[in-house]
Amino acid sequence: MPWNIGILGAGPGVSALHLPVLGQLQELFTVVHIADSGSGRARALAERTGARCSTGEQDLLEDQRVDVVAICSPPAQHSRQILASVAAGKRAIFCEKPLATTRQEAEAVIEACRAAGAILMVGTNHLFDPAWGRARHRLVALEGRVQAVSVTLALPPNDRYHQLVAEGGPFQAARRDAPDVRDPAVSAGVLRQLLTGLAIHDLPAVRDIAPGIDEVVYARLVPPIGYLVGYRAGDVLVQLALTMLPDGPDALWRMAITTSHDRIEVDFPPAFVHAGSAAVRVRSVDGRWTSYRRQPVDGYVAEWRLLASLLEGDVPVEYDEVLADSHYAVDLANAAAARILEGAGQ
């Protein structure tokens, strides 16, 4: 019998990503309920799947058919909705990243899920991408010492983030009442949201190979929407870079890992598309490049299949790893924001 899914949220991620994936996995999951926060989008999405629709979260949480709650709402709602799902007695929660926006929220969520025996999974699709698993295997097999990691994003416009800096809409001149990103406090807050909303895609994978955050060396917001953050994780140097431009380059989402033996580049597909796994290529010390064949399965399919395995009891819930990933992201966001404030005071 497939597990019944109730989805909190009806945005682009649900429409373009999760519903198509769940449609491919009908032997494992059935979407039975979709709720929005008042936008009205849930009705159209529910019609695609034959699911029930509602507004708010109460009806969905009280729906006895729902086994699994998929939380695809804005980040600030995640921890509260996880706790509400546990209180409603739901079997499992799939939460889009981030798990929480503070350490305290993350710890409360993990404690509640562990105490109730509720399955919890965070949808960090890049971590579950088969290509990342291949790259990680190469790092282990060759025993190369990681020296540097960079994650570079060049993305098209996204209203959610542009509204942080301009009330007039994407790339329009800020009105008098718009946040002033020249104010270090505002700039630090925007950077924190960008890191917990976008950099979060790759931070669990970065933590795999560069655990710990010893020092944020530099952190700055790059207008109109972007950031540049560099930090030390032991002997590993990590740089995170983002740019969003209306007429910018083709979408690029690349993680590059430099080791004592080679350089590994992992190019993830653009957001909101299903194009198979990421592409991996390796440059050896003699300068030759080797490209690995892409897999048809992407990280979105892999993460939902893993959730099915968790529900069947085939693999354990890694509460401690989920919490450690959340702490890593929150700590980095806080340290980067503090670095901006420190720089303003110098």
Side-chain angles (χ1 to χ4, degrees), residues 8 16 29 37 46 101 106 113 116 161 169-170 320 326 328:
L8 291 176
F29 301 107
S37 61
T101 57
C113 289
Y161 297 106
D320 291 337
S326 182
Y328 190 90

Side-chain angles (χ1 to χ4, degrees), residues 63-133:
D63 189 337
Q64 296 302 307
R65 299 172 304 160
V66 173
D67 303 308
V68 180
V69 178
I71 297 176
C72 304
S73 53
Q77 303 295 324
H78 289 184
S79 63
R80 182 186 60 77
Q81 290 178 338
I82 293 172
L83 294 175
S85 300
V86 172
K90 296 308 180 184
R91 177 81 176 88
I93 299 102
F94 172 96
C95 182
E96 266 296 354
K97 51 210 164 291
L99 173 70
T101 57
T102 70
R103 269 180 161 257
Q104 293 77 11
E105 288 177 353
E107 289 161 5
V109 161
I110 294 298
E111 180 180 350
C113 289
R114 200 194 300 266
I119 292 167
L120 175 64
M121 179 174 173
V122 179
T124 47
N125 57 293
H126 285 183
L127 184 66
F128 301 120
D129 192 300
W132 169 245

Side-chain angles (χ1 to χ4, degrees), residues 2-19:
W3 299 93
N4 289 338
I5 307 293
I7 303 177
L8 291 176
V14 173
S15 176
L17 298 175
H18 295 305
L19 288 184

Side-chain angles (χ1 to χ4, degrees), residues 191 215-220 228-231 238-240 336 339:
L191 176 62
E215 179 191 11
V216 172
V217 181
Y218 53 88
R220 57 180 175 270
L228 191 63
V229 175
Y231 64 97
V238 182
Q239 177 173 281
L240 310 176
R339 189 72 183 86

